[in-house]
Amino acid sequence: RETRTICVRNAPLLQPDTRRYQLNMTKAELIDAVAKSADVSKADAERTVGAFFEIVTDAAKTGDKVAWPGFGSFSTSKSQARTGRNPQTGAPVNIAAATRMKFTASSTLKAALNNR
């Protein structure tokens, strides 16, 4: 039997191993949480979070890796051009080469997520 993850706001939280709903944090909620945690204004928190993502984006464009010890690293990987199939018609479709963003969690983060 297949279990699907459904994104629903204000869904009842179930036990982690039987959880069927996934709660997503919005940008506004992230800014609020950062402002509250760092005891700064929401405007300062938004500028700081925005600057972080801008730096990660700029680094990705140049092919650099951004690592945060204890959290993980952001990097890019290149995918080659390939031929795929349209699932409805079965017709071949050319898929262009692309640069993809990749996040690799650190061993510390993995351990924290798995209660180790």
Side-chain angles (χ1 to χ4, degrees), residues 35-59:
K36 208 176 272 186
S37 177
D39 195 28
V40 296
S41 70
K42 288 182 185 180
D44 288 342
E46 185 168 7
R47 280 193 299 275
T48 303
V49 171
F52 172 76
F53 286 115
E54 188 176 308
I55 290 167
V56 170
T57 301
D58 291 344

Side-chain angles (χ1 to χ4, degrees), residues 8-104:
V8 178
R9 286 234 164 259
N10 301 324
L13 292 177
L14 303 175
Q15 295 299 320
D17 57 334
T18 60
R19 188 174 171 178
R20 299 180 111 178
Y21 301 103
Q22 177 180 350
L23 301 177
N24 295 323
M25 182 179 274
T26 65
K27 179 182 175 183
E29 291 168 341
L30 175 63
I31 298 300
D32 288 343
V34 170
K36 208 176 272 186
S37 177
D39 195 28
V40 296
S41 70
K42 288 182 185 180
D44 288 342
E46 185 168 7
R47 280 193 299 275
T48 303
V49 171
F52 172 76
F53 286 115
E54 188 176 308
I55 290 167
V56 170
T57 301
D58 291 344
K61 286 179 182 178
T62 61
D64 292 338
K65 179 179 180 178
V66 177
W68 190 304
F71 183 69
S73 60
F74 298 90
S75 61
T76 57
S77 63
K78 298 201 182 285
S79 64
Q80 296 180 347
R82 62 191 191 279
T83 303
R85 294 255 175 224
N86 180 328
Q88 291 181 335
T89 64
V93 176
N94 290 328
I95 302 171
T99 302
R100 305 193 186 283
M101 194 69 192
K102 185 168 83 170
F103 174 76
T104 305

